[in-house]
Amino acid sequence: MDFSFTEEQELWRKTVRDFAQKKIKPRVREIDTNKKIPEEIIKDMAKLGLLAPTASQEYGGAGVDWTMASIAAEELGRADISLAIPVLYLVESAWGYIFSQYGTPEAKKEYLPKITSGDVFCGIAVTEPEGGSDIVGAGKTKAVKKGNNWILNGEKMFISGITESSKWGGIHLTLARTDPNKGHKGFSFFAVPLKDNPNIETTLLEDMGRMGISTGGFSMSNVKLPDHYLIGGLNRGFYHAMEGFSAARVLIGATCVGAAEAALELGIEHIKTRKAFGRPLGSFEGIQFPLAEHYCNIESVKLITYRAAWIMDKMYKEKKFTHYDVSLAAAMSKLRAPIHAFSAMNEVADWLGATGYTKEYPIEMGIRGVRSYSIGAEGTMNIMRLIIGRELLGKGFLPYK
Ligand SMILES: Cc1cc2nc3c(=O)[nH]c(=O)nc-3n(C[C@H](O)[C@H](O)[C@H](O)COP(=O)(O)OP(=O)(O)OC[C@H]3O[C@@H](n4cnc5c(N)ncnc54)[C@H](O)[C@@H]3O)c2cc1C
């Protein structure tokens, strides 16, 4: 066993940290207030290879592995505790990878270089108004082949990056039924461009947090797509979606670790200097003990998360693990990370006293942002528990067929 990072990984961390602390951290409040990530930050991220970094170099990606991608996620979470930039980063990392792996050469040539240069957005659209967790049972979006085209009808909801995709351009990898009689084996993935399409209507939702990136929905009415916008094999969409979700969940784990570390650092600084009853807050056991608990929780999440990234790298590079191993490891990280990060941030807000409830400190942005992950972005907590249960007990114990 070796718990240390390589020299290359340390250098990457330092590069991302220097950039994120200098260029992102000072602007997080502005991003949260203006509900927009400044264009120059997107462009700087592109220059560093931070947009869909896992995409192949042939299309402008950095071709980094999942350990490197997780290191960057942790550093971005540490700088942007509101989690808006980390969301953009991790969505494009996970789904840019899936697109890079399974997209047709024509579709990749058209979109991937623009995704990695920050000119357009790449998102994921699985959830529908009537079902997220149970997309297999509830999903109504359909794609039907007509000649050399696909015709899509249906509605997607609670989707990240609607404004970004409909204004800048880009694609949402969209799950649609292509064989309604085959359950999860009857879904396919399509690259759906939202911008300037008269057959697509978008809506926006007002979120609680991570305000720098939009959430909303889109409805498709006879949206015509060329055959080469089918991503991956026909009826393989569910499997590609699960692969992308595992990747996203690991990066969410790393992002939450970074944001929680930033919160704890801020809290430690405060309890060392703020005095009550003639002593620094940090000298009271009532303050020290929770600090110890939160530190242990975040360190354990960090271990689970980097182990998941390591398992993914071993699977992709050496075929040492299976997609089931990855999905179990990723679910463990996603189950623990948002809850422990939320809990640490909540504690720090207490330590800050009344100022913890004001916008003077970034903690409130963190609390609002991290809650998106425990509520369910990229899968709810109970779905993580179901995945873990399935791996421990076997498929026969799934509560649904
Ligand atoms: C900020 C944000 C951004 C998002 N971005 C995207 C995106 O970009 N693309 C996308 O496709 N989706 C996105 N989502 C949607 C997300 O994937 C769904 O919210 C999630 O899958 C849950 O679906 P649901 O909201 O329909 O809740 P439901 O599936 O209706 O679940 C409601 C509750 O019931 C619980 N539940 C459901 N089934 C079971 C069961 N069998 N056993 C026990 N409990 C159960 C769930 O855990 C949850 O607590 C986003 C969500 C959020 C909050």
Side-chain angles (χ1 to χ4, degrees):
M1 289 185 90
D2 183 355
F3 285 100
S4 58
F5 290 107
T6 64
E7 243 175 69
E8 188 195 9
Q9 289 162 345
E10 292 289 10
L11 186 64
W12 171 244
R13 181 184 291 284
K14 185 179 175 328
T15 307
V16 180
R17 181 178 290 188
D18 286 350
F19 160 72
Q21 291 295 317
K22 238 182 255 154
K23 298 277 173 86
I24 295 178
K25 194 174 175 187
R27 301 189 71 177
V28 176
R29 177 61 69 190
E30 170 199 335
I31 292 169
D32 191 69
T33 306
N34 295 348
K35 300 183 181 172
K36 190 175 174 287
I37 301 168
E39 207 176 302
E40 57 275 21
I41 290 186
I42 303 276
K43 288 292 168 189
D44 283 345
M45 286 176 73
K47 275 188 219 144
L48 271 185
L50 286 172
L51 297 179
T54 47
S56 74
Q57 288 177 341
E58 191 189 343
Y59 295 100
V64 301
D65 64 15
W66 296 98
T67 305
M68 295 280 265
S70 301
I71 290 171
E74 186 186 343
E75 291 307 324
L76 293 173
R78 180 191 283 276
D80 176 5
I81 193 174
S82 88
L83 299 186
I85 289 175
V87 170
L88 178 107
Y89 167 81
L90 74 91
V91 167
E92 295 207 332
S93 299
W95 303 103
Y97 176 77
I98 295 296
F99 185 45
S100 164
Q101 284 297 297
Y102 302 111
T104 58
E106 297 100 301
K108 287 198 282 192
K109 210 168 146 199
E110 189 177 352
Y111 283 107
L112 251 186
K114 290 190 206 152
I115 293 167
T116 54
S117 65
D119 291 312
V120 304
F121 183 77
C122 174
I124 166 72
V126 169
T127 312
E128 300 192 8
E130 286 172 41
S133 307
D134 182 24
I135 191 63
V136 173
K140 290 197 168 57
T141 299
K142 278 192 193 131
V144 177
K145 185 94 189 262
K146 284 236 167 96
N148 284 333
N149 294 305
W150 287 94
I151 308 296
L152 270 70
N153 280 287
E155 188 177 1
K156 295 290 172 182
M157 192 44 83
F158 312 113
I159 307 302
S160 304
I162 293 294
T163 302
E164 289 72 7
S165 202
S166 46
K167 281 197 180 150
W168 316 349
I171 48 167
H172 270 80
L173 301 190
T174 301
L175 198 66
R177 281 193 204 275
T178 35
D179 189 338
N181 301 316
K182 282 197 180 155
H184 73 283
K185 294 183 178 164
F187 284 92
S188 301
F189 241 158
F190 295 88
V192 177
L194 302 189
K195 192 177 178 205
D196 298 334
N197 189 328
N199 295 20
I200 294 182
E201 207 174 303
T202 59
T203 45
L204 287 176
L205 298 163
E206 183 77 11
D207 276 335
M208 183 200 300
R210 40 177 261 185
M211 307 309 278
I213 185 157
S214 64
T215 312
F218 60 95
S219 61
M220 297 172 287
S221 168
N222 292 320
V223 170
K224 194 168 156 187
L225 299 175
D227 197 23
H228 64 264
Y229 279 25
L230 171 69
I231 305 303
L234 181 64
N235 293 332
R236 298 288 303 162
F238 185 77
Y239 298 98
H240 301 323
M242 293 306 117
E243 188 178 344
F245 280 132
S246 288
R249 286 166 190 161
V250 175
L251 299 182
I252 287 170
T255 283
C256 290
V257 165
E261 282 170 334
L264 284 178
E265 279 161 21
L266 192 153
I268 288 172
E269 206 180 291
H270 182 78
I271 60 177
K272 278 167 115 176
T273 49
R274 173 79 179 181
K275 286 191 178 152
F277 302 96
R279 289 157 59 184
L281 287 175
S283 66
F284 293 103
E285 283 178 349
I287 303 279
Q288 264 185 39
F289 285 7
L291 168 65
E293 292 294 330
H294 291 299
Y295 179 76
C296 288
N297 287 342
I298 299 306
E299 282 295 299
S300 64
V301 169
K302 198 194 259 190
L303 289 173
I304 292 174
T305 301
Y306 279 104
R307 178 176 166 274
W310 175 83
I311 287 178
M312 279 175 76
D313 286 335
K314 289 277 176 200
M315 177 186 76
Y316 284 118
K317 292 178 192 171
E318 299 169 29
K319 293 198 166 42
K320 273 203 174 154
F321 294 96
T322 66
H323 283 288
Y324 288 107
D325 298 320
V326 167
S327 121
L328 171 64
M332 285 164 65
S333 168
K334 172 71 163 56
L335 179 61
R336 283 287 175 263
I339 287 175
H340 284 319
F342 177 80
S343 173
M345 288 172 182
N346 218 17
E347 187 79 46
V348 172
D350 281 342
W351 296 343
L352 293 171
T355 45
Y357 195 60
T358 68
K359 292 193 172 181
E360 193 178 321
Y361 284 103
I363 287 297
E364 57 84 29
M365 287 189 279
I367 289 173
R368 287 189 277 118
V370 81
R371 195 70 177 91
S372 69
Y373 291 129
S374 55
I375 280 184
E378 314 273 358
T380 70
M381 299 291 98
N382 276 351
I383 295 307
M384 298 310 110
R385 294 183 181 105
L386 279 177
I387 292 171
I388 295 166
R390 176 193 72 192
E391 292 313 307
L392 298 183
L393 299 169
K395 275 189 199 163
F397 285 82
L398 275 176
Y400 49 83
K401 295 291 162 210

PDB file of all heavy atoms in Angstrom, residues 124-127 131-134 157-160 207 210 215 372 375-380 382-383 386 399, ligand 1:
ATOM      1  N   ILE A 124     -25.782  16.577 -18.763  1.00  0.00           N
ATOM      2  CA  ILE A 124     -26.403  15.252 -18.720  1.00  0.00           C
ATOM      3  C   ILE A 124     -27.895  15.438 -18.442  1.00  0.00           C
ATOM      4  O   ILE A 124     -28.272  16.208 -17.566  1.00  0.00           O
ATOM      5  CB  ILE A 124     -25.740  14.376 -17.625  1.00  0.00           C
ATOM      6  CG1 ILE A 124     -26.564  13.117 -17.293  1.00  0.00           C
ATOM      7  CG2 ILE A 124     -25.517  15.156 -16.323  1.00  0.00           C
ATOM      8  CD1 ILE A 124     -26.529  12.090 -18.347  1.00  0.00           C
ATOM      9  N   ALA A 125     -28.726  14.737 -19.194  1.00  0.00           N
ATOM     10  CA  ALA A 125     -30.174  14.856 -18.998  1.00  0.00           C
ATOM     11  C   ALA A 125     -30.789  13.467 -18.923  1.00  0.00           C
ATOM     12  O   ALA A 125     -31.065  12.835 -19.947  1.00  0.00           O
ATOM     13  CB  ALA A 125     -30.793  15.669 -20.134  1.00  0.00           C
ATOM     14  N   VAL A 126     -30.975  13.015 -17.692  1.00  0.00           N
ATOM     15  CA  VAL A 126     -31.616  11.722 -17.439  1.00  0.00           C
ATOM     16  C   VAL A 126     -32.978  11.952 -16.779  1.00  0.00           C
ATOM     17  O   VAL A 126     -33.996  11.422 -17.200  1.00  0.00           O
ATOM     18  CB  VAL A 126     -30.718  10.831 -16.551  1.00  0.00           C
ATOM     19  CG1 VAL A 126     -31.479   9.612 -16.056  1.00  0.00           C
ATOM     20  CG2 VAL A 126     -29.475  10.390 -17.328  1.00  0.00           C
ATOM     21  N   THR A 127     -32.994  12.774 -15.728  1.00  0.00           N
ATOM     22  CA  THR A 127     -34.185  12.933 -14.876  1.00  0.00           C
ATOM     23  C   THR A 127     -35.378  13.526 -15.636  1.00  0.00           C
ATOM     24  O   THR A 127     -35.206  14.402 -16.484  1.00  0.00           O
ATOM     25  CB  THR A 127     -33.829  13.842 -13.680  1.00  0.00           C
ATOM     26  OG1 THR A 127     -32.611  13.373 -13.105  1.00  0.00           O
ATOM     27  CG2 THR A 127     -34.918  13.833 -12.622  1.00  0.00           C
ATOM     28  N   GLY A 131     -39.982  11.190 -12.654  1.00  0.00           N
ATOM     29  CA  GLY A 131     -39.105  10.201 -12.040  1.00  0.00           C
ATOM     30  C   GLY A 131     -37.632  10.430 -12.264  1.00  0.00           C
ATOM     31  O   GLY A 131     -37.196  10.624 -13.399  1.00  0.00           O
ATOM     32  N   GLY A 132     -36.892  10.433 -11.160  1.00  0.00           N
ATOM     33  CA  GLY A 132     -35.445  10.524 -11.250  1.00  0.00           C
ATOM     34  C   GLY A 132     -34.847   9.182 -10.866  1.00  0.00           C
ATOM     35  O   GLY A 132     -34.252   8.472 -11.684  1.00  0.00           O
ATOM     36  N   SER A 133     -35.068   8.792  -9.587  1.00  0.00           N
ATOM     37  CA  SER A 133     -34.507   7.524  -9.110  1.00  0.00           C
ATOM     38  C   SER A 133     -35.034   6.360  -9.944  1.00  0.00           C
ATOM     39  O   SER A 133     -34.293   5.442 -10.292  1.00  0.00           O
ATOM     40  CB  SER A 133     -34.908   7.294  -7.649  1.00  0.00           C
ATOM     41  OG  SER A 133     -34.576   8.412  -6.865  1.00  0.00           O
ATOM     42  N   ASP A 134     -36.320   6.435 -10.269  1.00  0.00           N
ATOM     43  CA  ASP A 134     -36.942   5.340 -11.021  1.00  0.00           C
ATOM     44  C   ASP A 134     -37.097   5.708 -12.496  1.00  0.00           C
ATOM     45  O   ASP A 134     -38.180   5.603 -13.059  1.00  0.00           O
ATOM     46  CB  ASP A 134     -38.308   5.014 -10.394  1.00  0.00           C
ATOM     47  CG  ASP A 134     -38.990   3.854 -11.109  1.00  0.00           C
ATOM     48  OD1 ASP A 134     -38.280   3.043 -11.735  1.00  0.00           O
ATOM     49  OD2 ASP A 134     -40.228   3.780 -11.055  1.00  0.00           O
ATOM     50  N   MET A 157     -36.095  17.200 -16.626  1.00  0.00           N
ATOM     51  CA  MET A 157     -36.272  18.199 -15.563  1.00  0.00           C
ATOM     52  C   MET A 157     -35.184  18.070 -14.501  1.00  0.00           C
ATOM     53  O   MET A 157     -34.623  16.993 -14.343  1.00  0.00           O
ATOM     54  CB  MET A 157     -37.668  17.992 -14.942  1.00  0.00           C
ATOM     55  CG  MET A 157     -38.148  19.107 -14.034  1.00  0.00           C
ATOM     56  SD  MET A 157     -37.868  20.778 -14.646  1.00  0.00           S
ATOM     57  CE  MET A 157     -39.239  21.010 -15.720  1.00  0.00           C
ATOM     58  N   PHE A 158     -34.910  19.180 -13.806  1.00  0.00           N
ATOM     59  CA  PHE A 158     -33.855  19.268 -12.775  1.00  0.00           C
ATOM     60  C   PHE A 158     -32.487  19.027 -13.397  1.00  0.00           C
ATOM     61  O   PHE A 158     -31.673  18.253 -12.880  1.00  0.00           O
ATOM     62  CB  PHE A 158     -34.106  18.283 -11.613  1.00  0.00           C
ATOM     63  CG  PHE A 158     -35.516  18.321 -11.099  1.00  0.00           C
ATOM     64  CD1 PHE A 158     -36.365  17.247 -11.256  1.00  0.00           C
ATOM     65  CD2 PHE A 158     -35.994  19.467 -10.478  1.00  0.00           C
ATOM     66  CE1 PHE A 158     -37.681  17.295 -10.802  1.00  0.00           C
ATOM     67  CE2 PHE A 158     -37.306  19.534 -10.022  1.00  0.00           C
ATOM     68  CZ  PHE A 158     -38.152  18.443 -10.189  1.00  0.00           C
ATOM     69  N   ILE A 159     -32.267  19.665 -14.524  1.00  0.00           N
ATOM     70  CA  ILE A 159     -31.047  19.435 -15.297  1.00  0.00           C
ATOM     71  C   ILE A 159     -30.073  20.600 -15.099  1.00  0.00           C
ATOM     72  O   ILE A 159     -30.444  21.773 -15.273  1.00  0.00           O
ATOM     73  CB  ILE A 159     -31.396  19.293 -16.805  1.00  0.00           C
ATOM     74  CG1 ILE A 159     -32.480  18.220 -17.010  1.00  0.00           C
ATOM     75  CG2 ILE A 159     -30.157  19.026 -17.642  1.00  0.00           C
ATOM     76  CD1 ILE A 159     -32.142  16.835 -16.508  1.00  0.00           C
ATOM     77  N   SER A 160     -28.812  20.290 -14.770  1.00  0.00           N
ATOM     78  CA  SER A 160     -27.797  21.330 -14.580  1.00  0.00           C
ATOM     79  C   SER A 160     -27.344  21.874 -15.934  1.00  0.00           C
ATOM     80  O   SER A 160     -27.194  21.112 -16.894  1.00  0.00           O
ATOM     81  CB  SER A 160     -26.573  20.760 -13.853  1.00  0.00           C
ATOM     82  OG  SER A 160     -26.958  20.182 -12.636  1.00  0.00           O
ATOM     83  N   ASP A 207     -32.834  27.693  -7.698  1.00  0.00           N
ATOM     84  CA  ASP A 207     -32.230  26.773  -6.733  1.00  0.00           C
ATOM     85  C   ASP A 207     -31.963  27.427  -5.388  1.00  0.00           C
ATOM     86  O   ASP A 207     -31.935  28.640  -5.272  1.00  0.00           O
ATOM     87  CB  ASP A 207     -30.888  26.266  -7.278  1.00  0.00           C
ATOM     88  CG  ASP A 207     -31.078  25.080  -8.204  1.00  0.00           C
ATOM     89  OD1 ASP A 207     -32.088  24.381  -8.080  1.00  0.00           O
ATOM     90  OD2 ASP A 207     -30.188  24.863  -9.047  1.00  0.00           O
ATOM     91  N   ARG A 210     -25.496  26.781  -5.066  1.00  0.00           N
ATOM     92  CA  ARG A 210     -24.630  26.649  -6.246  1.00  0.00           C
ATOM     93  C   ARG A 210     -25.157  27.525  -7.373  1.00  0.00           C
ATOM     94  O   ARG A 210     -25.390  27.066  -8.481  1.00  0.00           O
ATOM     95  CB  ARG A 210     -24.460  25.183  -6.648  1.00  0.00           C
ATOM     96  CG  ARG A 210     -25.707  24.338  -6.541  1.00  0.00           C
ATOM     97  CD  ARG A 210     -25.518  22.942  -7.014  1.00  0.00           C
ATOM     98  NE  ARG A 210     -26.019  22.797  -8.359  1.00  0.00           N
ATOM     99  CZ  ARG A 210     -26.088  21.660  -9.027  1.00  0.00           C
ATOM    100  NH1 ARG A 210     -25.652  20.548  -8.494  1.00  0.00           N
ATOM    101  NH2 ARG A 210     -26.549  21.594 -10.229  1.00  0.00           N
ATOM    102  N   THR A 215     -30.058  25.518 -13.148  1.00  0.00           N
ATOM    103  CA  THR A 215     -30.777  24.235 -13.180  1.00  0.00           C
ATOM    104  C   THR A 215     -32.133  24.505 -13.820  1.00  0.00           C
ATOM    105  O   THR A 215     -32.712  25.563 -13.606  1.00  0.00           O
ATOM    106  CB  THR A 215     -31.009  23.676 -11.760  1.00  0.00           C
ATOM    107  OG1 THR A 215     -29.794  23.739 -11.021  1.00  0.00           O
ATOM    108  CG2 THR A 215     -31.483  22.233 -11.787  1.00  0.00           C
ATOM    109  N   SER A 372     -27.261  20.218  -2.282  1.00  0.00           N
ATOM    110  CA  SER A 372     -27.727  19.696  -3.581  1.00  0.00           C
ATOM    111  C   SER A 372     -27.310  18.235  -3.749  1.00  0.00           C
ATOM    112  O   SER A 372     -28.006  17.445  -4.374  1.00  0.00           O
ATOM    113  CB  SER A 372     -27.176  20.531  -4.734  1.00  0.00           C
ATOM    114  OG  SER A 372     -25.785  20.346  -4.877  1.00  0.00           O
ATOM    115  N   ILE A 375     -29.398  15.992  -1.308  1.00  0.00           N
ATOM    116  CA  ILE A 375     -30.783  15.864  -1.804  1.00  0.00           C
ATOM    117  C   ILE A 375     -30.816  14.924  -2.996  1.00  0.00           C
ATOM    118  O   ILE A 375     -31.731  14.103  -3.127  1.00  0.00           O
ATOM    119  CB  ILE A 375     -31.367  17.258  -2.143  1.00  0.00           C
ATOM    120  CG1 ILE A 375     -31.814  17.935  -0.848  1.00  0.00           C
ATOM    121  CG2 ILE A 375     -32.536  17.139  -3.129  1.00  0.00           C
ATOM    122  CD1 ILE A 375     -32.483  19.267  -1.018  1.00  0.00           C
ATOM    123  N   GLY A 376     -29.827  15.033  -3.877  1.00  0.00           N
ATOM    124  CA  GLY A 376     -29.904  14.022  -4.930  1.00  0.00           C
ATOM    125  C   GLY A 376     -29.225  14.266  -6.250  1.00  0.00           C
ATOM    126  O   GLY A 376     -29.331  13.432  -7.135  1.00  0.00           O
ATOM    127  N   ALA A 377     -28.533  15.413  -6.456  1.00  0.00           N
ATOM    128  CA  ALA A 377     -27.859  15.579  -7.741  1.00  0.00           C
ATOM    129  C   ALA A 377     -26.923  14.392  -7.951  1.00  0.00           C
ATOM    130  O   ALA A 377     -26.155  14.046  -7.058  1.00  0.00           O
ATOM    131  CB  ALA A 377     -27.088  16.898  -7.760  1.00  0.00           C
ATOM    132  N   GLU A 378     -27.035  13.756  -9.091  1.00  0.00           N
ATOM    133  CA  GLU A 378     -26.278  12.544  -9.469  1.00  0.00           C
ATOM    134  C   GLU A 378     -26.640  11.336  -8.587  1.00  0.00           C
ATOM    135  O   GLU A 378     -25.834  10.430  -8.398  1.00  0.00           O
ATOM    136  CB  GLU A 378     -24.756  12.775  -9.459  1.00  0.00           C
ATOM    137  CG  GLU A 378     -24.303  14.052 -10.144  1.00  0.00           C
ATOM    138  CD  GLU A 378     -24.056  13.929 -11.650  1.00  0.00           C
ATOM    139  OE1 GLU A 378     -24.188  12.828 -12.206  1.00  0.00           O
ATOM    140  OE2 GLU A 378     -23.744  14.966 -12.265  1.00  0.00           O
ATOM    141  N   GLY A 379     -27.876  11.333  -8.084  1.00  0.00           N
ATOM    142  CA  GLY A 379     -28.363  10.169  -7.329  1.00  0.00           C
ATOM    143  C   GLY A 379     -28.567  10.476  -5.859  1.00  0.00           C
ATOM    144  O   GLY A 379     -27.701  11.068  -5.226  1.00  0.00           O
ATOM    145  N   THR A 380     -29.731  10.052  -5.312  1.00  0.00           N
ATOM    146  CA  THR A 380     -30.038  10.376  -3.906  1.00  0.00           C
ATOM    147  C   THR A 380     -29.279   9.450  -2.945  1.00  0.00           C
ATOM    148  O   THR A 380     -28.717   8.426  -3.348  1.00  0.00           O
ATOM    149  CB  THR A 380     -31.556  10.226  -3.616  1.00  0.00           C
ATOM    150  OG1 THR A 380     -31.875   8.828  -3.653  1.00  0.00           O
ATOM    151  CG2 THR A 380     -32.408  10.969  -4.618  1.00  0.00           C
ATOM    152  N   ASN A 382     -30.578   7.503  -0.695  1.00  0.00           N
ATOM    153  CA  ASN A 382     -31.173   6.163  -0.636  1.00  0.00           C
ATOM    154  C   ASN A 382     -30.771   5.329  -1.851  1.00  0.00           C
ATOM    155  O   ASN A 382     -30.627   4.098  -1.734  1.00  0.00           O
ATOM    156  CB  ASN A 382     -32.704   6.254  -0.531  1.00  0.00           C
ATOM    157  CG  ASN A 382     -33.153   6.445   0.908  1.00  0.00           C
ATOM    158  OD1 ASN A 382     -32.344   6.345   1.832  1.00  0.00           O
ATOM    159  ND2 ASN A 382     -34.429   6.723   1.108  1.00  0.00           N
ATOM    160  N   ILE A 383     -30.589   5.977  -2.986  1.00  0.00           N
ATOM    161  CA  ILE A 383     -30.151   5.219  -4.164  1.00  0.00           C
ATOM    162  C   ILE A 383     -28.716   4.717  -3.947  1.00  0.00           C
ATOM    163  O   ILE A 383     -28.371   3.594  -4.320  1.00  0.00           O
ATOM    164  CB  ILE A 383     -30.330   6.050  -5.460  1.00  0.00           C
ATOM    165  CG1 ILE A 383     -31.830   6.316  -5.708  1.00  0.00           C
ATOM    166  CG2 ILE A 383     -29.690   5.370  -6.668  1.00  0.00           C
ATOM    167  CD1 ILE A 383     -32.744   5.084  -5.725  1.00  0.00           C
ATOM    168  N   LEU A 386     -29.094   1.760  -1.869  1.00  0.00           N
ATOM    169  CA  LEU A 386     -29.585   0.618  -2.664  1.00  0.00           C
ATOM    170  C   LEU A 386     -28.451  -0.027  -3.459  1.00  0.00           C
ATOM    171  O   LEU A 386     -28.374  -1.253  -3.565  1.00  0.00           O
ATOM    172  CB  LEU A 386     -30.669   1.077  -3.653  1.00  0.00           C
ATOM    173  CG  LEU A 386     -32.081   1.256  -3.119  1.00  0.00           C
ATOM    174  CD1 LEU A 386     -33.010   1.777  -4.209  1.00  0.00           C
ATOM    175  CD2 LEU A 386     -32.623  -0.071  -2.595  1.00  0.00           C
ATOM    176  N   PRO A 399     -35.144  -4.210  -4.491  1.00  0.00           N
ATOM    177  CA  PRO A 399     -36.575  -4.123  -4.181  1.00  0.00           C
ATOM    178  C   PRO A 399     -37.436  -3.969  -5.429  1.00  0.00           C
ATOM    179  O   PRO A 399     -38.648  -3.932  -5.336  1.00  0.00           O
ATOM    180  CB  PRO A 399     -36.674  -2.880  -3.297  1.00  0.00           C
ATOM    181  CG  PRO A 399     -35.476  -2.078  -3.627  1.00  0.00           C
ATOM    182  CD  PRO A 399     -34.413  -3.025  -4.066  1.00  0.00           C
TER     183      PRO A 399
HETATM  184  C1  LIG B   1     -29.245  20.692  -7.953  1.00  0.00           C
HETATM  185  C2  LIG B   1     -29.604  19.483  -8.764  1.00  0.00           C
HETATM  186  C3  LIG B   1     -29.046  19.311 -10.033  1.00  0.00           C
HETATM  187  C4  LIG B   1     -29.391  18.200 -10.815  1.00  0.00           C
HETATM  188  N1  LIG B   1     -28.828  18.060 -12.067  1.00  0.00           N
HETATM  189  C5  LIG B   1     -29.206  17.020 -12.848  1.00  0.00           C
HETATM  190  C6  LIG B   1     -28.683  16.877 -14.175  1.00  0.00           C
HETATM  191  O1  LIG B   1     -27.835  17.659 -14.631  1.00  0.00           O
HETATM  192  N2  LIG B   1     -29.132  15.853 -14.937  1.00  0.00           N
HETATM  193  C7  LIG B   1     -30.053  14.952 -14.478  1.00  0.00           C
HETATM  194  O2  LIG B   1     -30.430  14.046 -15.218  1.00  0.00           O
HETATM  195  N3  LIG B   1     -30.573  15.067 -13.230  1.00  0.00           N
HETATM  196  C8  LIG B   1     -30.177  16.066 -12.405  1.00  0.00           C
HETATM  197  N4  LIG B   1     -30.685  16.193 -11.129  1.00  0.00           N
HETATM  198  C9  LIG B   1     -31.757  15.313 -10.735  1.00  0.00           C
HETATM  199  C10 LIG B   1     -31.334  14.207  -9.791  1.00  0.00           C
HETATM  200  O3  LIG B   1     -30.607  13.236 -10.483  1.00  0.00           O
HETATM  201  C11 LIG B   1     -32.630  13.671  -9.198  1.00  0.00           C
HETATM  202  O4  LIG B   1     -33.131  14.656  -8.329  1.00  0.00           O
HETATM  203  C12 LIG B   1     -32.449  12.374  -8.432  1.00  0.00           C
HETATM  204  O5  LIG B   1     -32.126  11.330  -9.302  1.00  0.00           O
HETATM  205  C13 LIG B   1     -33.743  12.025  -7.661  1.00  0.00           C
HETATM  206  O6  LIG B   1     -34.850  12.043  -8.483  1.00  0.00           O
HETATM  207  P1  LIG B   1     -36.170  12.848  -8.043  1.00  0.00           P
HETATM  208  O7  LIG B   1     -35.773  14.251  -7.780  1.00  0.00           O
HETATM  209  O8  LIG B   1     -37.173  12.600  -9.101  1.00  0.00           O
HETATM  210  O9  LIG B   1     -36.601  12.206  -6.677  1.00  0.00           O
HETATM  211  P2  LIG B   1     -37.365  10.817  -6.487  1.00  0.00           P
HETATM  212  O10 LIG B   1     -36.760   9.786  -7.340  1.00  0.00           O
HETATM  213  O11 LIG B   1     -38.821  11.071  -6.624  1.00  0.00           O
HETATM  214  O12 LIG B   1     -37.021  10.490  -4.974  1.00  0.00           O
HETATM  215  C14 LIG B   1     -37.635  11.201  -3.896  1.00  0.00           C
HETATM  216  C15 LIG B   1     -37.159  10.593  -2.589  1.00  0.00           C
HETATM  217  O13 LIG B   1     -37.551   9.220  -2.508  1.00  0.00           O
HETATM  218  C16 LIG B   1     -36.423   8.406  -2.256  1.00  0.00           C
HETATM  219  N5  LIG B   1     -36.573   7.099  -2.930  1.00  0.00           N
HETATM  220  C17 LIG B   1     -36.854   6.863  -4.229  1.00  0.00           C
HETATM  221  N6  LIG B   1     -36.868   5.548  -4.493  1.00  0.00           N
HETATM  222  C18 LIG B   1     -36.589   4.925  -3.316  1.00  0.00           C
HETATM  223  C19 LIG B   1     -36.452   3.557  -2.910  1.00  0.00           C
HETATM  224  N7  LIG B   1     -36.598   2.559  -3.777  1.00  0.00           N
HETATM  225  N8  LIG B   1     -36.148   3.302  -1.613  1.00  0.00           N
HETATM  226  C20 LIG B   1     -35.985   4.297  -0.717  1.00  0.00           C
HETATM  227  N9  LIG B   1     -36.099   5.606  -1.045  1.00  0.00           N
HETATM  228  C21 LIG B   1     -36.393   5.925  -2.318  1.00  0.00           C
HETATM  229  C22 LIG B   1     -35.230   9.160  -2.786  1.00  0.00           C
HETATM  230  O14 LIG B   1     -34.029   8.772  -2.152  1.00  0.00           O
HETATM  231  C23 LIG B   1     -35.636  10.615  -2.454  1.00  0.00           C
HETATM  232  O15 LIG B   1     -35.272  10.910  -1.150  1.00  0.00           O
HETATM  233  C24 LIG B   1     -30.315  17.265 -10.316  1.00  0.00           C
HETATM  234  C25 LIG B   1     -30.839  17.412  -9.030  1.00  0.00           C
HETATM  235  C26 LIG B   1     -30.486  18.501  -8.253  1.00  0.00           C
HETATM  236  C27 LIG B   1     -31.052  18.637  -6.871  1.00  0.00           C
END
